[in-house]
């Protein structure tokens, strides 16, 4: 490259301003093989939006498959996620041995005896694994649902022993039930030591009840803040949950019911009499909560907001809620209603940082070991499992429309291959689609990243500006790619 870094950034800024209109362990990477490189075409605006909503940014082969079979069949294929061969992604996760460990094993490898605990290694592997799955997995809709439930049942990994308990929660709660049944998901979360620690239920004893988990179980996990429960219901549910605890000696980190800490009196929750029955009391309430009409509406609203719009259509929410009740919380059935009936009405949503980073990587066949990329996510405010409050990372566009500078820095470092352990394959992608004419190649890039080419006069003006500054054709394409990633248009999905 003949341009200096300063020149590259200056020219990129120029192009971005105009575009506003609109490794892992190397052995496993080699075993997994290269990413597909095939030509692509422009997509209908609705199809491009749908694919961006159903993936972390469509790869070229996903665009081709979508065009081949259509939206409905593509969704059905993704919902049947266990039939999708994801062997290559599994290979890339092989170096992360902690993902399959039990809590006592994770505690053991973190414990440095007289030097305290290593609180970084286990969370770092979980964070890298999350990014690698979202980047490489062919089960994109499944991974999006994993992200959705990770927000819904948010756990701050830095609190207490969650630096190792969250790995078990991620595997046994979120990933196991992400496209299964909502009742099973809540049930697993309620018995998850990571959740009990995060929301202080290990301190919930008959002598001094702690209402934190009981409140969030109703307000954030099931009924919603307007779900019709009272403060008295929260207090009574907290009494039911006394004694739900975490083992701190043998089988450390497992769930345990401590009968001696449990309030054995009669309780009343949501108008129901709860007779004394130990651990089964709270489990009886969980069954009531997951079958409640307010829960059906709350979950359907959140799903519609994630996939359709910040303010999703009420008729779609109502149909999804009724399906939730009819199927007793079958997540796939609810998703079919939201996606089939809601996607044609979808409105643009501002990309959260993870969406921005992953769509940049996926659309340009980026490869990464996830270390440096996670540092960028930290700067952008969305490091995985790092949201301290139980409401999870915001899902409204307004929450993320702050400074673009960290996104600019990521875009230019990525395109210049300056990020350690991370690289793109722009050259190979353009090689299969290039006509040898610079204008056509710029159109192809815009189609890939924005869904459609730039207007001809604008495109030609941009090319003239960059070439006039001394850039070669290859540099012009790199500057264009970086600038499109940094442009306001690319921030929306």
């Amino acid at each position: 490259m003949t341009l200096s870094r300063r020149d590259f950034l200056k020219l990129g800024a120029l192009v971005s301003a105009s575009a506003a209109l609109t490794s892992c362990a190397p052995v496993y990477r080699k075993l997994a093989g290269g990413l597909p490189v095939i030509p692509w075409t422009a997509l209908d605006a609705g199809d491009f939006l749908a694919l961006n909503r159903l993936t972390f940014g469509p790869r070229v082969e996903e665009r081709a498959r979508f065009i081949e079979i259509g939206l409905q069949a593509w969704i059905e294929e993704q919902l049947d996620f266990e039939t999708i061969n994801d062997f290559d992604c599994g290979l890339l996760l092989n170096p992360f041995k902690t993902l399959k460990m039990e809590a006592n094993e994770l505690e053991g490898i973190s414990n440095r005896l007289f030097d305290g605990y290593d609180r970084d290694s286990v969370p770092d592997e979980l964070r890298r694994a999350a990014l690698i799955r979202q980047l490489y997995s062919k089960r994109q809709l499944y991974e999006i649902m994993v992200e959705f439930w990770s927000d819904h049942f948010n756990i701050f990994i830095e609190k207490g022993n969650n630096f190792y308990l969250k790995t078990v929660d991620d595997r046994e709660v979120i990933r196991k039930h992400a496209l299964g049944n909502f009742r099973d998901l809540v049930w697993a979360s309620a018995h998850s030591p990571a959740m009990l620690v995060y929301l202080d239920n290990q301190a919930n004893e008959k002598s001094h009840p702690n209402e934190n988990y009981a409140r969030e179980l109703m307000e954030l996990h099931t009924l919603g803040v307007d779900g019709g429960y009272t403060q008295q219901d929260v207090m009574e549910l907290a009494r039911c949950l006394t004694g739900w605890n975490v083992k701190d000696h043998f089988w450390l980190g497992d769930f345990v019911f401590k009968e001696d800490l449990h309030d054995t009196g009669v309780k009343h929750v949501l108008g129901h009499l709860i007779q004394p029955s130990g651990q089964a009391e709270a489990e009886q309430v969980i069954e009531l909560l997951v079958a409640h009409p307010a829960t059906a509406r709350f979950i359907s609203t959140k799903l519609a907001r994630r996939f359709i719009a910040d303010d999703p259509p009420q008729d779609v929410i109502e149909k999804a809620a009724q399906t939730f009740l009819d199927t007793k919380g079958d997540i796939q059935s609810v998703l079919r209603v939201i996606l089939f009936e809601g996607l044609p009405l979808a409105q643009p949503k501002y990309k959260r940082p993870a969406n921005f980073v992953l769509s940049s990587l996926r659309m340009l066949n980026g490869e990464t070991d996830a270390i440096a990329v996670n540092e960028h996510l930290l700067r952008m405010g969305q490091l995985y499992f790092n949201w301290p409050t139980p409401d999870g990372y915001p899902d409204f566009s307004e929450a993320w429309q702050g400074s673009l500078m960290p996104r600019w820095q990521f875009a230019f470092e990525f395109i210049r291959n300056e990020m350690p352990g991370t690289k793109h394959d722009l050259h190979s992608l353009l090689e299969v689609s290039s006509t040898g004419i610079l204008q056509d190649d710029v159109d192809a890039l815009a189609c890939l990243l924005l869904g459609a080419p730039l207007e001809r006069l604008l495109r030609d003006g941009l090319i003239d500006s960059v070439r006039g500054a001394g850039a070669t054709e290859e540099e012009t394409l790199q500057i264009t790619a970086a600038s499109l990633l940094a442009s306001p248009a690319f921030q929306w999905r």
Side-chain angles (χ1 to χ4, degrees), residues 83-281:
T83 66
I84 299 173
N85 185 338
D86 219 16
F87 180 74
D88 290 352
C89 182
L91 274 178
L92 297 175
L93 296 172
N94 265 349
F96 306 128
K97 303 303 182 189
T98 60
L99 299 181
K100 297 178 181 177
M101 290 184 180
E102 299 301 329
N104 61 329
E105 297 176 277
L106 293 165
E107 192 275 344
I109 64 169
S110 303
N111 193 340
R112 293 178 172 172
L113 298 178
F114 300 112
D115 292 327
Y117 279 92
D118 170 8
R119 298 178 63 91
D120 297 326
S121 297
V122 174
D124 284 349
E125 283 207 355
L126 184 61
R127 285 174 171 136
R128 289 177 64 193
L131 193 143
I132 283 171
R133 284 165 163 150
Q134 292 171 355
L135 175 61
Y136 291 102
S137 177
K138 296 174 183 174
R139 301 171 178 180
Q140 281 289 290
L141 184 53
Y142 169 74
E143 292 298 335
I144 283 180
M145 289 305 297
V146 167
E147 183 199 46
F148 175 82
W149 294 123
S150 295
D151 282 334
H152 185 78
F153 296 99
N154 183 60
I155 289 174
F156 180 42
I157 206 166
E158 302 289 341
K159 181 171 180 178
N161 289 340
N162 277 324
F163 69 92
Y164 66 86
L165 292 175
K166 178 56 191 171
T167 293
V168 180
D169 179 273
D170 184 69
R171 182 182 70 233
E172 300 297 332
V173 179
I174 304 298
R175 300 191 67 80
K176 180 176 284 187
H177 302 290
L179 277 174
N181 185 280
F182 183 72
R183 179 264 180 200
D184 296 340
L185 190 50
V186 176
W187 185 276
S189 175
H191 293 78
S192 167
M195 184 59 77
L196 297 179
V197 167
Y198 174 53
L199 291 177
D200 305 315
N201 206 72
Q202 86 282 11
N204 184 17
E205 304 176 4
K206 60 184 177 184
S207 58
H208 45 277
N210 186 306
E211 301 163 9
N212 201 10
Y213 177 54
R215 184 182 310 285
E216 305 309 354
L217 178 56
M218 286 183 164
E219 180 179 326
L220 294 177
H221 297 174
T222 56
L223 301 175
V225 68
D226 299 318
Y229 63 92
T230 65
Q231 172 61 20
Q232 188 62 33
D233 289 321
V234 172
M235 294 168 62
E236 290 292 283
L237 176 54
R239 291 179 61 212
C240 294
L241 284 163
T242 49
W244 284 49
N245 217 296
V246 181
K247 291 183 180 178
D248 49 12
H249 292 294
F250 297 110
W251 301 109
L252 181 149
D254 283 4
F255 171 84
V256 63
F257 176 69
K258 295 183 176 178
E259 196 164 355
D260 59 320
L261 302 181
H262 183 65
D263 180 337
T264 56
V266 172
K267 292 93 176 175
H268 295 80
V269 184
L270 298 171
H272 294 264
L273 179 67
I274 309 296
Q275 294 288 357
S277 55
Q279 180 180 332
E281 295 169 22

Side-chain angles (χ1 to χ4, degrees), residues 447-462:
C447 285
L448 182 67
L449 297 173
L450 304 180
L454 302 177
E455 291 180 5
R456 185 175 62 83
L457 290 178
L458 173 61
R459 177 204 63 193
D460 292 346
L462 295 175

Side-chain angles (χ1 to χ4, degrees), residues 12-22 48 348-352 356 359 397 400-405 407-408 411-412 449-450 454 458 480-493:
L14 170 65
V15 177
S16 281
S18 301
L21 79 165
T22 58
F48 188 69
K349 283 180 70 82
Y350 199 79
K351 290 179 179 176
R352 305 197 306 175
F356 165 73
S359 58
S397 296
W400 300 104
Q401 291 175 282
S403 172
L404 280 174
M405 186 56 69
R407 299 188 183 210
W408 274 60
F412 286 98
L449 297 173
L450 304 180
L454 302 177
L458 173 61
T480 302
S483 305
L484 291 175
L485 294 183
S487 72
F490 189 74
Q491 310 311 310
W492 295 84
R493 63 188 178 93

Side-chain angles (χ1 to χ4, degrees), residues 405-469:
M405 186 56 69
R407 299 188 183 210
W408 274 60
Q409 291 170 339
F410 171 85
F412 286 98
E413 284 184 28
F414 174 49
I415 292 300
R416 287 176 64 91
N417 280 328
E418 291 178 343
M419 212 179 302
T422 303
K423 64 178 181 179
H424 60 78
D425 197 16
L426 181 60
H427 178 78
S428 297
L429 282 170
L430 287 174
E431 201 169 60
V432 299
S433 64
S434 178
T435 63
I437 300 171
L438 183 58
Q439 286 78 0
D440 291 347
D441 291 348
V442 170
D443 282 346
L445 262 179
C447 285
L448 182 67
L449 297 173
L450 304 180
L454 302 177
E455 291 180 5
R456 185 175 62 83
L457 290 178
L458 173 61
R459 177 204 63 193
D460 292 346
L462 295 175
I463 292 173
D464 289 345
S465 297
V466 177
R467 293 302 303 274

Side-chain angles (χ1 to χ4, degrees), residues 349-408:
K349 283 180 70 82
Y350 199 79
K351 290 179 179 176
R352 305 197 306 175
N355 287 115
F356 165 73
V357 165
L358 284 156
S359 58
S360 304
L361 291 165
R362 298 191 93 248
M363 288 179 172
L364 294 177
N365 272 6
E367 302 259 20
T368 184
D369 60 11
I371 297 175
V373 176
N374 267 324
E375 291 173 4
H376 277 273
L377 283 175
L378 177 61
R379 289 175 213 157
M380 295 180 201
Q382 203 190 0
L383 183 64
Y384 298 104
F385 316 117
N386 213 46
W387 187 254
T389 54
D391 50 350
Y393 282 110
D395 198 17
F396 290 95
S397 296
E398 186 179 359
W400 300 104
Q401 291 175 282
S403 172
L404 280 174
M405 186 56 69
R407 299 188 183 210
W408 274 60

